[in-house]
Amino acid sequence: MQDVGRGDNWRLDDRLPAAQQAGNELYKNNDLDRGHLVRRRDPVWGERAVAERANEDTFHYTVCAPQTATLNQSKTLWLGLEDYVLGNAEQYDRKLSVFSGCIFADDDPVYRGVAIPRQFFKIAAWSQDSTLACTGYVLDQSPSLDPILDKPLRLETDPPPLGPYRTYQVPVADIASMTGLELGTLIAADRYAPVAAAREGASTWTELTALKDIRL
């Protein structure tokens, strides 16, 4: 890991047409934050030049998504999830990869001409006894998103509205179904799937209220 200054130089990615990206106009005068889908520090490792480039790349608008301030500024469950899984991997000397992204739906609300995702996913994958293992998670920001989209523009001095969001541990197969991503290898390696399958008709999703609720 390298210690590189944050910078906050948000910009469009010049490798893609500007019309395919949502820039600062989406986030002005409201309570939507630029939520990193790839945490800034996660790719900041290796040779210094590579680490500095990785740091800068995390400030492309294509690597963030509109998230409510309640979610993005929280230091607890959702943002602490990767730290928790990473700490577990470090404790047992495992290498870890995290996949993260939006879950798009036909009924996502359109705001300033942009469909705002209500849900996001993370999948943590690691090697355990030379075997691939993984777990999947979904965050639903709907409860804290609706008050923002239903209100007029706010002044910079107005306090942001407070609202809940919910985090779940889910079968990786559900993430594949909701996103359309081909996750066959990860589905087969899902350590949570047997827990979900044993629920005999009950919900296969576990709402997480604390890090201790996570099944690894």
Side-chain angles (χ1 to χ4, degrees):
M1 300 298 296
Q2 294 276 0
D3 186 12
V4 177
R6 180 180 173 90
D8 277 319
N9 179 26
W10 287 99
R11 63 202 185 280
L12 298 179
D13 189 333
D14 59 12
R15 293 168 292 187
L16 291 171
Q20 295 181 7
Q21 306 177 61
N24 190 52
E25 66 280 357
L26 177 60
Y27 302 91
K28 294 173 62 175
N29 300 320
N30 57 35
D31 295 307
L32 291 176
D33 281 357
R34 305 169 185 85
H36 275 93
L37 295 177
V38 176
R39 293 192 310 174
R40 182 188 71 87
R41 286 190 53 80
D42 282 357
V44 184
W45 54 272
E47 296 181 5
R48 184 71 185 184
V50 174
E52 290 177 349
R53 174 62 184 271
N55 180 73
E56 293 176 0
D57 278 345
T58 65
F59 288 98
H60 283 133
Y61 278 106
T62 47
V63 193
C64 78
Q67 296 179 345
T68 66
T70 307
L71 159 62
N72 189 51
Q73 296 175 21
S74 167
K75 303 301 180 185
T76 53
L77 189 56
W78 181 250
L79 297 186
L81 190 151
E82 285 185 44
D83 288 330
Y84 178 82
V85 177
L86 183 62
N88 183 275
E90 184 176 20
Q91 179 181 355
Y92 295 101
D93 194 27
R94 299 170 181 156
K95 293 183 177 180
L96 179 74
S97 294
V98 176
F99 306 88
S100 184
C102 304
I103 298 175
F104 298 108
D106 291 339
D107 62 351
D108 283 337
V110 176
Y111 178 73
R112 299 183 181 178
V114 178
I116 308 297
R118 293 183 178 276
Q119 296 180 320
F120 303 92
F121 74 87
K122 290 183 191 287
I123 300 174
W126 65 91
S127 176
Q128 184 166 326
D129 300 325
S130 300
T131 301
L132 179 65
C134 71
T135 50
Y137 310 89
V138 167
L139 177 137
D140 187 342
Q141 68 169 348
S142 298
S144 53
L145 181 64
D146 291 341
I148 293 175
L149 303 184
D150 291 341
K151 64 180 288 189
L153 296 181
R154 74 172 180 89
L155 301 175
E156 291 296 328
T157 55
D158 291 344
L162 298 179
Y165 58 88
R166 308 176 75 180
T167 303
Y168 302 87
Q169 184 162 7
V170 308
V172 174
D174 287 5
I175 296 176
S177 177
M178 291 186 295
T179 61
L181 297 174
E182 296 182 5
L183 303 174
T185 302
L186 294 175
I187 291 172
D190 186 3
R191 292 177 57 83
Y192 174 74
V195 176
R199 295 197 166 184
E200 298 182 354
S203 173
T204 58
W205 290 28
T206 297
E207 183 171 2
L208 304 176
T209 58
L211 294 173
K212 62 181 178 57
D213 298 334
I214 296 173
R215 302 285 190 95
L216 295 177

